[in-house]
Amino acid sequence: MDDYEQVTDNFRRAKFWWSSSRAVQKSTSITLFPAQEQPRYYTLTFHRRHRQLVMEYYMSHVVEEGKAIEVRKRQRKLYTNNPSNNWYGYKRTVWSHVLFEHPATFETLAMDPDMKQEIIEDLETFRESKDYYVKIGKAWKRGYLLYGPPGTGKSTMIVAMANFLDYDVYDLELTAVKNNTELKKLLIETTSKSIMVIEDIDCSLDLSGKRKKNAEKSEKDTDEEKLPPGVDKDDNTSKVTLSGLLNFIDGLWSACGGERIIVFTKNHVEKLDPALIRKGRMDKHIELSYCSFEAFKVLAKNYLNLDSHPLFETVQQLIEGSNITPADVAEKLMPKSSKVTAADKANTCLKNLIQALHKASEEVKSKEAAAAAAQLEEKGDVETVKIDKDDTGKDVD
């Protein structure tokens, strides 16, 4: 509201009047507030018979509506944690951010439609389950484990989740966290309605449950970095432990704030300690695998605006038997020239994709044949026979 503006509100058949004013400062020798910064206040006027309605219902209604408007109008942000080490003795905040404006959605996400719908329904259920989590006595949070080969859309899935829920994203870089205490501080500084992401967690730290000794690690450091005076070599090494990360996910401090999602991404499932990814911590495990024909159709619609094409049948026959990722398919479907017609673009891109699928299929068959031969040799079912030849070059019986 502008200064001295008046508005009328109606709530449960009762009328309320709001007015905006500024505090008038008494004339003194010292000016406490400039004219434009004098404290503002609001006056609510209503009939005395509505006093109970105001105290019990109307004021809480105003507060809840205000929060909802703030959420709708806010600009979502992408956060990343600042390095723990501060050589210059000054650090403003543990998180820095940029505006989050990535356009990916579930509609543009290339994956199996049934799995996509299952994830959407799971997210909707979580968003509307505040009372349920209170009832069962659990913190209002949920863990997702996204795993699969590189290029299968794990990061894009996170963006689609954030855009669907209208959440902020906190991208946590574990190698920049000094220790477990620092990790706890980062958690405390996050807000509700957010997604906490740890990407490639199998590459961030040794969290396999078989942590190496510091002495073994130090032997590998042949070229030591030159550090500023007063900075220890160990200060540059993250001391986050598996137990510290477990407490971060579902310990006592994980309950600070609500409506939070934690997402791990990784390429190799077997490299993590089972305690880290068990149900209850990572509640839903989602495998993002190689491109299927249904995923290809989504990409063809996104990149070429195609719903059907005579070459689709050939693509369908080849794509199921080739381990090609959605990222590789998308690269082949991206037009390389803007000076040709849409039909020519589609034909060229699809033919390039078909060539790539043929090559990928041959590579799969070659790997399968090599693996089968290695397996037979290991079992002893394959024998190497040397055939001697006489002086004339003929085989000797």
Side-chain angles (χ1 to χ4, degrees):
M1 297 172 62
D2 294 331
D3 291 345
Y4 309 108
E5 182 184 357
Q6 293 184 345
V7 296
T8 303
D9 190 20
N10 292 282
F11 179 74
R12 296 190 180 183
R13 299 182 180 179
K15 184 171 288 188
F16 304 93
W17 295 268
W18 289 91
S19 61
S20 170
S21 304
R22 283 193 182 274
V24 178
Q25 183 177 328
K26 294 182 179 180
S27 178
T28 61
S29 57
I30 301 176
T31 303
L32 297 178
F33 299 99
Q36 66 273 19
E37 296 182 7
Q38 291 176 353
R40 299 180 63 192
Y41 64 92
Y42 297 93
T43 301
L44 173 63
T45 305
F46 54 89
H47 197 282
R48 63 169 56 92
R49 67 172 177 268
H50 298 315
R51 177 181 294 273
Q52 186 174 359
L53 176 64
V54 170
M55 301 304 294
E56 292 185 2
Y57 301 103
Y58 182 63
M59 292 309 297
S60 60
H61 161 75
V62 170
V63 172
E64 291 300 322
E65 284 296 308
K67 290 180 179 179
I69 292 171
E70 183 179 9
V71 169
R72 288 197 298 269
K73 290 187 174 182
R74 73 186 177 96
Q75 289 184 307
R76 291 186 298 120
K77 298 173 182 177
L78 172 62
Y79 293 86
T80 186
N81 52 305
N82 291 318
S84 303
N85 296 314
N86 183 17
W87 294 354
Y88 302 101
Y90 176 72
K91 184 171 65 177
R92 289 180 297 177
T93 177
V94 294
W95 294 101
S96 57
H97 69 268
V98 296
L99 292 181
F100 183 66
E101 298 176 333
H102 200 293
T105 64
F106 278 109
E107 292 182 358
T108 60
L109 185 63
M111 65 180 302
D112 180 72
D114 293 335
M115 180 184 294
K116 186 187 300 186
Q117 186 60 34
E118 180 184 339
I119 295 169
I120 291 174
E121 292 175 358
D122 190 79
L123 293 172
E124 286 179 335
T125 302
F126 169 78
R127 181 169 53 185
E128 299 168 2
S129 298
K130 179 179 180 180
D131 295 337
Y132 177 76
Y133 277 85
V134 172
K135 177 184 176 182
I136 63 177
K138 290 185 64 176
W140 190 13
K141 62 181 181 61
R142 188 161 177 80
Y144 286 81
L145 174 67
L146 310 181
Y147 64 97
T152 52
K154 296 184 287 294
S155 298
T156 308
M157 167 70 77
I158 295 169
V159 175
M161 293 168 67
N163 285 333
F164 178 77
L165 295 170
D166 199 27
Y167 283 6
D168 292 325
V169 177
Y170 288 85
D171 184 15
L172 177 60
E173 178 55 59
L174 276 180
T175 56
V177 182
K178 186 176 180 180
N179 50 40
N180 294 336
T181 302
E182 192 83 22
L183 188 62
K184 189 184 300 181
K185 290 179 181 178
L186 288 167
L187 178 64
I188 295 172
E189 292 295 324
T190 61
T191 61
S192 58
K193 293 184 180 294
S194 61
I195 298 179
M196 175 73 69
V197 180
I198 304 179
E199 291 199 89
D200 298 324
I201 189 171
D202 51 338
C203 303
S204 299
L205 295 174
D206 182 8
L207 299 172
S208 61
K210 301 177 181 179
R211 301 180 62 84
K212 299 178 182 179
K213 296 180 180 179
N214 291 334
E216 295 176 350
K217 290 184 178 180
S218 61
E219 292 177 359
K220 298 181 181 180
D221 299 331
T222 55
D223 298 326
E224 297 183 0
E225 289 187 21
K226 295 182 179 180
L227 303 178
V231 177
D232 247 358
K233 175 187 172 183
D234 289 341
D235 289 343
N236 273 359
T237 304
S238 176
K239 295 183 176 63
V240 174
T241 63
L242 178 61
S243 61
L245 189 58
L246 295 180
N247 288 329
F248 174 82
I249 298 171
D250 64 353
L252 293 175
W253 290 94
S254 67
C256 63
E259 200 170 355
R260 181 184 288 117
I261 287 177
I262 300 175
V263 179
F264 287 171
T265 73
K266 60 180 183 174
N267 298 331
H268 306 287
V269 181
E270 67 280 358
K271 288 189 176 182
L272 289 181
D273 192 293
L276 185 64
I277 58 175
R278 68 163 174 82
K279 296 299 178 67
R281 290 194 174 108
M282 292 294 104
D283 304 284
K284 191 170 184 63
H285 295 190
I286 302 172
E287 181 180 7
L288 298 174
S289 189
Y290 296 105
C291 191
S292 64
F293 181 66
E294 294 297 327
F296 156 76
K297 290 196 294 185
V298 175
L299 293 172
K301 179 66 175 177
N302 293 343
Y303 285 84
L304 301 174
N305 198 28
L306 289 178
D307 293 313
S308 62
H309 193 277
L311 293 176
F312 273 21
E313 184 176 352
T314 305
V315 173
Q316 184 176 10
Q317 294 172 355
L318 293 171
I319 200 167
E320 301 299 340
S322 59
N323 293 341
I324 189 169
T325 65
D328 292 330
V329 174
E331 174 60 27
K332 298 300 179 183
L333 295 181
M334 184 174 291
K336 302 299 187 293
S337 174
S338 59
K339 298 181 180 180
V340 294
T341 64
D344 289 338
K345 286 181 183 178
N347 287 329
T348 301
C349 292
L350 290 175
K351 287 177 181 178
N352 290 338
L353 175 60
I354 289 172
Q355 290 179 0
L357 291 174
H358 276 296
K359 183 178 179 180
S361 298
E362 292 300 324
E363 291 178 354
V364 170
K365 292 178 182 177
S366 177
K367 289 180 180 179
E368 290 177 350
Q375 188 176 8
L376 289 173
E377 187 173 354
E378 183 179 352
K379 291 180 178 180
D381 293 339
V382 176
E383 296 181 359
T384 302
V385 179
K386 181 179 179 180
I387 302 176
D388 294 327
K389 297 180 182 293
D390 58 18
D391 294 338
T392 62
K394 294 183 180 179
D395 296 338
V396 178
D397 293 340

